[in-house]
Amino acid sequence: MPQLSAEQIAKTTGGEIIGDQNKTISSVAKLDEATSEDLAFFANPKYENQVYDSKCGILFVPDNFKASQEITATLIAHENPYFAFCTILSIYFNPNVKKQGIHPTAVVHPTARVGEGSYIGPFVHIDENVIIGKNAQIHERVSIANDTTIGDAATLFPGVVIYSKTHIGNRFTAHAGSIIGSDGFGFAPVNGEYQKIPQVGIVKIEDDVELGANCCIDRATMGETVIRKGTKLDNLVQIAHNVEIGEHTVMASQCGVAGSTKIGHHSVFGGQAGVAGHITVDPFNSFGGQAGITKSIKGSHRKMSGTPAMDLNSYLRGVAGSQKVSDLFKEINQLKKEINALKNSNE
């Protein structure tokens, strides 16, 4: 494990040391689990009490942090402690060791081109006219079909499958089992049966996109399915044919977007959110877990939840009201009894 001093960490991240610049750490940990050998971070004010109880050796804190109690750790003040912590993780503690070379069991077509510094792992299959950029990490059992292009510094984890004519930008990551370019769900009803519509379009993925494990990105019926730059998809996300996902959008696990929908940039979707087909979602909107977006969303900076999706405050009021329904029924039944009693007394 590396031995890092506070001085090294501050220089790497651009932070300001408060305390002993020679203090060293050899590992990282959560704030409430750290020891004197660990680097930790503090960013959310609701966890401030943990700062004073923590035994960590070095701690990233916000640059406006004012301690109300004594802290034993060496502090590094930073405008974004979490980002600084992740920077150290990425540089010094990344478990994915870079490799180079082509494994003897890999099958690489003679017309394929693999960039300098790349690694092609066991049982990888790379078809004709594939172009892979420099410093790629293509792990075992990945399959890349013909006429696909992948930019520099891509990482494809085991079992990723990329269908033909897919175009992928730089610094792309796909975790195990993800599939890019499979057929869109296109069938036409004919005489009580379903006739398959050939899916002849492609998938285009821009720079700095990351897919979690077991994501599926369908190829377009015609034209393109597009994932814009900086977008991050969690595990088990389904993107249907001809969808366009705007820049720097994030989707949590098990989200699904139906065909031909356009998602604006900087959108946020909680787990299991579902988006109907052929609609448009404007940029800078957020949707809670299990939200059902059934129609186009106009305007920006809205927080929505529920099915059909509605503004968050309206949704929460509705949930609160629904919890009182059983009490209301009891009151109504009691009123009925009292009314009937009054009727009977007057007869």
Side-chain angles (χ1 to χ4, degrees), residues 206-209 226-232 244-250 263-268 283-284:
E206 296 183 348
D207 294 346
D208 300 302
V209 170
V226 182
I227 313 293
R228 299 290 181 196
K229 67 180 182 180
T231 288
K232 316 297 183 188
E244 181 177 334
I245 306 292
E247 299 175 3
H248 302 291
T249 288
V250 292
I263 305 293
H265 58 85
H266 292 89
S267 297
V268 177
F284 288 107

Side-chain angles (χ1 to χ4, degrees), residues 280-308:
T280 300
V281 176
D282 282 352
F284 288 107
N285 287 304
S286 299
F287 302 91
Q290 297 189 327
I293 299 93
T294 58
K295 61 182 181 181
S296 291
I297 304 298
K298 301 300 181 183
S300 297
H301 301 286
R302 299 177 66 182
K303 294 183 178 180
M304 307 183 74
S305 196
T307 301

Side-chain angles (χ1 to χ4, degrees), residues 65-85:
F65 174 67
K66 304 294 183 184
S68 61
Q69 301 178 38
E70 183 180 355
I71 300 174
T72 58
T74 293
L75 305 183
I76 299 179
H78 195 280
E79 63 180 356
N80 189 334
Y82 182 54
F83 175 76
F85 182 76

Side-chain angles (χ1 to χ4, degrees), residues 11-317:
K11 183 179 290 187
T12 301
T13 59
E16 180 182 351
I17 299 172
I18 305 171
D20 180 8
Q21 68 175 6
N22 296 317
K23 172 63 182 175
T24 61
I25 56 93
S26 58
S27 57
V28 295
K30 296 195 301 182
L31 187 57
D32 60 342
E33 298 176 354
T35 72
S36 61
E37 295 297 313
D38 293 323
L39 170 71
F41 78 95
F42 162 65
N44 191 329
K46 73 179 184 178
Y47 297 117
E48 182 173 342
N49 286 338
Q50 293 184 12
V51 171
Y52 309 116
D53 295 332
S54 178
K55 296 178 175 60
C56 66
I58 302 176
L59 177 65
F60 281 114
V61 297
D63 52 14
N64 61 354
F65 174 67
K66 304 294 183 184
S68 61
Q69 301 178 38
E70 183 180 355
I71 300 174
T72 58
T74 293
L75 305 183
I76 299 179
H78 195 280
E79 63 180 356
N80 189 334
Y82 182 54
F83 175 76
F85 182 76
C86 290
T87 299
I88 297 300
L89 281 180
S90 178
I91 296 173
Y92 297 105
F93 297 97
N94 192 333
N96 300 309
V97 177
K98 298 289 185 182
K99 302 178 182 180
Q100 291 189 12
I102 298 177
H103 194 274
T105 62
V107 177
V108 181
H109 195 276
T111 61
R113 303 207 312 261
V114 178
E116 181 182 357
S118 292
Y119 167 68
I120 308 298
F123 304 105
V124 169
H125 179 261
I126 300 176
D127 209 342
E128 58 186 332
N129 300 319
V130 169
I131 299 174
I132 297 174
K134 296 182 291 185
N135 301 314
Q137 296 285 295
I138 312 298
H139 293 277
E140 58 267 29
R141 295 178 287 103
V142 168
S143 178
I144 305 174
N146 61 285
D147 301 294
T148 289
T149 61
I150 301 174
D152 294 341
T155 301
L156 306 181
F157 285 100
V160 169
V161 177
I162 302 178
Y163 284 53
S164 64
K165 299 181 180 179
T166 297
H167 300 298
I168 296 173
N170 299 315
R171 298 173 298 280
F172 171 71
T173 299
H175 287 273
S178 284
I179 298 174
I180 304 164
S182 52
D183 278 1
F185 193 63
F187 298 90
V190 178
N191 298 324
E193 300 179 351
Y194 287 94
Q195 181 70 40
K196 184 175 178 64
I197 300 171
Q199 307 292 290
V200 299
I202 65 169
V203 173
K204 180 181 178 182
I205 298 177
E206 296 183 348
D207 294 346
D208 300 302
V209 170
E210 180 160 345
L211 309 182
N214 294 312
C215 289
C216 293
I217 314 295
D218 289 348
R219 72 192 310 108
T221 305
M222 293 177 285
E224 298 176 341
T225 300
V226 182
I227 313 293
R228 299 290 181 196
K229 67 180 182 180
T231 288
K232 316 297 183 188
L233 306 184
D234 195 4
N235 304 333
L236 297 165
V237 170
Q238 158 69 17
I239 305 298
H241 54 194
N242 293 95
V243 166
E244 181 177 334
I245 306 292
E247 299 175 3
H248 302 291
T249 288
V250 292
M251 292 187 175
S253 180
Q254 299 181 19
C255 284
V257 183
S260 299
T261 281
K262 297 185 183 300
I263 305 293
H265 58 85
H266 292 89
S267 297
V268 177
F269 294 82
Q272 296 187 330
V275 188
H278 300 273
I279 65 173
T280 300
V281 176
D282 282 352
F284 288 107
N285 287 304
S286 299
F287 302 91
Q290 297 189 327
I293 299 93
T294 58
K295 61 182 181 181
S296 291
I297 304 298
K298 301 300 181 183
S300 297
H301 301 286
R302 299 177 66 182
K303 294 183 178 180
M304 307 183 74
S305 196
T307 301
M310 64 188 77
D311 288 327
L312 183 59
N313 287 337
S314 297
Y315 170 73
L316 293 176
R317 284 195 297 268

